[in-house]
Amino acid sequence: LRDGFPSVLKSRDRRGRKVLVFFASNWDYTQYSLLTVYRSMLLTLEKLLESKENQSNGFVVIVDWTNFTLKQSAHLNPKILKMMIEGLQDSFPVRFKQIHFIGQPWFVEASLAVIKPFLNSKTRDRIKLHGSNLSTLHEMIARDILPPELGGEGPNLNPLTWYHVLLESSQINAPPPHYCITQTIPYSSIVISTKGGNNNDNSDDEMIVKTSKAQQYKAIAKCNNLINDSANNTLLNFSE
């Protein structure tokens, strides 16, 4: 996601469709596999499909293959590609209205020829190969929503924008726990008086604590009557 697999344009196209953009040359196959890219795409689609507008209007995908190397293409696992096609085409409730390839080298076209038999006729018809001719892309998608990287007039594409949207949406919106820590002490042996008597008294009125910090907090709270009843809704958290 941080590398833009995928990035999501802020603006919709003229038909109200969200536009997903992939810059294939950003793929670092030494750090994550094609399967991880697939998972990232599924996560993005699941989030976007929460919108009824996206469900009805569908999506446009742009894949920029510029500077994609033959070495990178060697890691396009055919088994994973087949699984991606079957998953997105037959098993996932998503509608891809257009799929645009730009700057594709010959070996990408060769790979596409191999996987085309696994595509249904509708999907095959929606794949458009533009090569280095961006004008044909601009005929289908307005330049004012495209970033300069795609010859557009829109804002620069920052892949971290969509990454942060997903990151924030994954946070659980739960109220903070009710707890209080009344004293902070280092992890060490401490002496706590259980009766608050004479300091010179070395009887059993004192206890030596040589345990974890959590247990020390608990001992202090007990000695000072700091654990309130449930009506006060104030608890001590001893789990950390």
Side-chain angles (χ1 to χ4, degrees), residues 91-141:
S91 305
F92 202 79
V94 62
R95 304 169 68 187
F96 294 113
K97 295 299 186 177
Q98 295 176 358
I99 303 173
H100 301 278
F101 284 6
I102 62 175
Q104 72 277 3
W106 64 269
F107 47 84
V108 169
E109 293 191 14
S111 299
L112 181 61
V114 172
I115 66 174
K116 267 191 174 181
F118 301 104
L119 302 174
N120 59 36
S121 58
K122 185 183 292 187
T123 303
R124 285 197 298 268
D125 294 340
R126 291 175 177 175
I127 296 178
K128 310 297 181 184
L129 303 181
H130 301 280
S132 58
N133 185 11
L134 294 181
S135 61
T136 56
L137 174 67
H138 299 154
E139 290 174 4
M140 299 182 177
I141 304 178

Side-chain angles (χ1 to χ4, degrees), residues 26-96:
N26 290 345
W27 179 32
D28 186 355
Y29 58 85
T30 64
Q31 298 297 320
Y32 48 90
S33 66
L34 182 61
L35 181 60
T36 301
V37 175
Y38 179 42
R39 290 170 175 164
S40 175
M41 186 172 185
L42 290 178
L43 181 63
T44 293
L45 291 172
E46 285 181 354
K47 179 60 181 177
L48 292 173
L49 286 172
E50 293 177 1
S51 165
K52 292 183 178 179
E53 187 176 5
N54 291 335
Q55 294 175 22
S56 60
N57 294 342
F59 300 89
V60 173
V61 177
I62 302 175
V63 184
D64 187 352
W65 296 96
T66 304
N67 298 324
F68 188 73
T69 65
L70 185 60
K71 191 172 183 180
Q72 286 174 304
S73 70
H75 294 270
L76 294 174
N77 189 312
K79 183 177 179 180
I80 302 299
L81 287 173
K82 184 174 183 293
M83 182 181 67
M84 293 173 66
I85 292 169
E86 292 175 347
L88 295 173
Q89 179 178 260
D90 305 322
S91 305
F92 202 79
V94 62
R95 304 169 68 187
F96 294 113

Side-chain angles (χ1 to χ4, degrees), residues 148-164:
E149 296 90 335
L150 299 175
E153 301 170 350
N156 290 323
L157 186 62
N158 182 0
L160 292 180
T161 301
W162 178 247
Y163 166 75
H164 287 301

Side-chain angles (χ1 to χ4, degrees), residues 9-20 53-54 57-62 97-98 100 137 140-146:
L9 297 189
K10 182 178 180 180
S11 301
R12 299 176 182 271
D13 71 355
R14 294 292 186 265
R15 297 186 179 182
R17 301 172 296 197
K18 272 295 187 181
V19 181
L20 279 61
E53 187 176 5
N54 291 335
N57 294 342
F59 300 89
V60 173
V61 177
I62 302 175
K97 295 299 186 177
Q98 295 176 358
H100 301 278
L137 174 67
M140 299 182 177
I141 304 178
R143 294 181 61 184
D144 58 354
I145 72 166
L146 294 175

